Amino acid sequence: MEKVYHGEAHLTDEAHHEAKPDRCAGIEFDAIAPDEKGNTFFFKGDHLWNGFRGPAQLTKEFFKELNDHHHLGHVDAAFRMHNKEKPQDHDHIYFFLDDKVFSYYNHTLEEGYPKDIQLDFPGVPSHLDAAVECPSGECTSDSVLFFKGDEVYNYDLATQAVKKRQWAHLPNCTSAFRWLEHHYCFHGHNFTRFNPVSGAVEGTYPKDARRYFMKCANFSHGSDVQVPKCSEVTLDAITSDDSGKTYAFAGHIYMRLDTHRDGKHAFPIGRAWKEVANGVDAVFSYSDKIYFIKGNQVYIYKSAAPSTLIEGYPKSLKDELGIEGPVNAAFVCADHHIVHVIQGQKMRDIDLSATPRMVGSEFPLPLSGIEAGMCGPDGVKVFVGSNYYHYESPMILALSKLNPIPIKITPDIFGCVD
């Protein structure tokens, strides 16, 4: 699909720059791509938006050489490379214009660019409409999907093989975006989620991008969440499942913490686990399941998306773990069967492989006010207000006489603001 720029020829350079586009008015984006730090850029003409909220800015303020080399009025397509086999290319942003490709890292044009598209991506056509990365596991191998009209080119990064397909059921994409392990085709001011292998549309689409991928007045889908100050962050629970997905919970929202490549974003808990939408007391992961404790109830979900409540739940805390509430925090270390349950200033250990389950040992804790805790490869973290404390193991937490130095929650960890 040819991208049209109505009236641009009649604007002077200065007047054109002053006429900032408004994505809340309904924009058909030229390209969407995140950088190596997880900042997502939305491109239209010679402007871009940095992130999901805020005004348009000139593209040359972020990617200077695009203007220096070609005085570009727009880009055709862009994506962030996922190719861990080639660290020199991994996480670079690739821009496409006509028959040229530009490679950027840390917002700096790599030496030797721009190049002909055929030199880097043989078999891929020029004058593209969209492009998006597809890592191994989501596609058969690390790949890039290129869109031109109603044709899709699957480019295998290892073999350089190109497979051309026609996905007639998918709208012609003018930009494409991989976000939180899902793929989206943008067309007009709408988007459609699709399977990157088959092109199948997943769910009810199209949807208005203004309700999901940007902050616009009068456009909401019920998940608007204000970014808190780091000094005000107080966690109710935190856990990491067997696949490495890490979730933090506060009030009625949750956040994925392992998605730094896509930025950190907060969502209503009910979006993923509707039965505990109003908040949780403690959460832990064990044997491909996530356990939510709320009052004297335990809800168990399958970890794999979409999260499904196990039949027969919720059950009482007494029936499931052999204890009465309330529970302040709970965590399980990888490859272990013990859930460490913190109640007040005591830690109770329960063997999850035993039947019936009951408290096996109990320890007084040196630290009071613990609200959340998790166990990872680097040890145990317990959270008190906007600080956390690090211990090398649950046993060291239990037997310590002195508390370690508190560590402040930072934007890098939780996506909060200073």
Side-chain angles (χ1 to χ4, degrees), residues 229-305:
K229 293 182 179 180
C230 293
S231 60
E232 298 172 350
V233 171
T234 300
L235 296 185
D236 295 325
I238 185 168
T239 191
S240 183
D241 68 16
D242 294 336
S243 67
K245 295 177 181 177
T246 303
Y247 304 95
F249 301 84
H252 69 283
I253 67 169
Y254 80 94
M255 179 180 288
R256 279 276 300 274
L257 301 183
D258 60 293
T259 56
H260 64 278
R261 286 172 53 80
D262 296 321
K264 295 183 175 68
H265 307 276
F267 303 100
I269 293 174
R271 174 173 169 165
W273 306 279
K274 63 181 181 180
E275 292 82 2
V276 291
N278 292 326
V280 298
D281 295 333
V283 181
F284 66 90
S285 301
Y286 174 71
S287 187
D288 294 321
K289 299 178 182 68
I290 301 182
Y291 291 63
F292 290 81
I293 300 173
K294 175 71 172 178
N296 278 305
Q297 299 286 307
V298 179
Y299 301 75
I300 304 180
Y301 292 82
K302 294 179 181 178
S303 294

Side-chain angles (χ1 to χ4, degrees), residues 124-399:
V124 172
S126 59
H127 300 276
L128 293 163
D129 289 327
V132 65
E133 70 275 17
C134 189
S136 176
E138 297 167 24
C139 283
T140 306
S141 59
D142 285 340
S143 308
V144 182
L145 303 179
F146 294 96
F147 298 80
K148 183 172 182 177
D150 60 357
E151 295 180 329
V152 182
Y153 299 78
N154 185 312
Y155 181 87
D156 188 303
L157 291 168
T159 66
Q160 296 187 330
V162 179
K163 295 180 181 178
K164 185 167 74 171
R165 300 185 176 94
Q166 283 190 319
W167 290 340
H169 49 284
L170 191 68
N172 287 356
C173 308
T174 56
S175 58
F177 183 34
R178 175 183 176 266
W179 189 62
L180 297 177
E181 297 148 15
H182 295 303
H183 288 77
Y184 299 91
C185 163
F186 284 73
H187 44 97
H189 57 77
N190 295 319
F191 70 94
T192 296
R193 178 177 156 188
F194 67 95
N195 183 300
V197 176
S198 66
V201 175
E202 304 169 338
T204 304
Y205 290 95
K207 295 180 179 179
D208 195 317
R210 291 170 291 185
R211 297 188 181 275
Y212 294 83
F213 287 96
M214 58 202 78
K215 178 73 172 177
C216 294
N218 303 320
F219 288 91
S220 171
H221 67 292
S223 67
D224 291 338
V225 177
Q226 296 298 319
V227 179
K229 293 182 179 180
C230 293
S231 60
E232 298 172 350
V233 171
T234 300
L235 296 185
D236 295 325
I238 185 168
T239 191
S240 183
D241 68 16
D242 294 336
S243 67
K245 295 177 181 177
T246 303
Y247 304 95
F249 301 84
H252 69 283
I253 67 169
Y254 80 94
M255 179 180 288
R256 279 276 300 274
L257 301 183
D258 60 293
T259 56
H260 64 278
R261 286 172 53 80
D262 296 321
K264 295 183 175 68
H265 307 276
F267 303 100
I269 293 174
R271 174 173 169 165
W273 306 279
K274 63 181 181 180
E275 292 82 2
V276 291
N278 292 326
V280 298
D281 295 333
V283 181
F284 66 90
S285 301
Y286 174 71
S287 187
D288 294 321
K289 299 178 182 68
I290 301 182
Y291 291 63
F292 290 81
I293 300 173
K294 175 71 172 178
N296 278 305
Q297 299 286 307
V298 179
Y299 301 75
I300 304 180
Y301 292 82
K302 294 179 181 178
S303 294
S307 299
T308 305
L309 184 67
I310 301 294
E311 187 176 351
Y313 286 86
K315 291 183 178 180
S316 73
L317 196 55
K318 183 69 173 178
D319 289 342
E320 187 66 31
L321 297 178
I323 59 175
E324 301 284 354
V327 171
N328 300 105
F331 57 89
V332 176
C333 297
D335 302 322
H336 287 72
H337 301 285
I338 303 297
V339 57
H340 306 276
V341 178
I342 296 175
Q343 295 182 285
Q345 211 163 335
K346 293 181 179 179
M347 184 169 76
R348 295 183 166 98
D349 290 352
I350 302 167
D351 188 345
L352 295 172
S353 65
T355 305
R357 293 169 175 171
M358 61 184 68
V359 176
S361 54
E362 183 176 303
F363 305 91
L365 295 176
L367 194 61
S368 63
I370 294 174
E371 296 158 318
M374 70 175 293
C375 184
D378 60 343
V380 175
K381 293 184 179 75
V382 291
F383 294 79
V384 179
S386 59
N387 297 316
Y388 69 91
Y389 298 79
H390 177 256
Y391 297 86
E392 292 183 8
S393 69
M395 189 55 66
I396 291 178
L397 166 62
L399 299 179

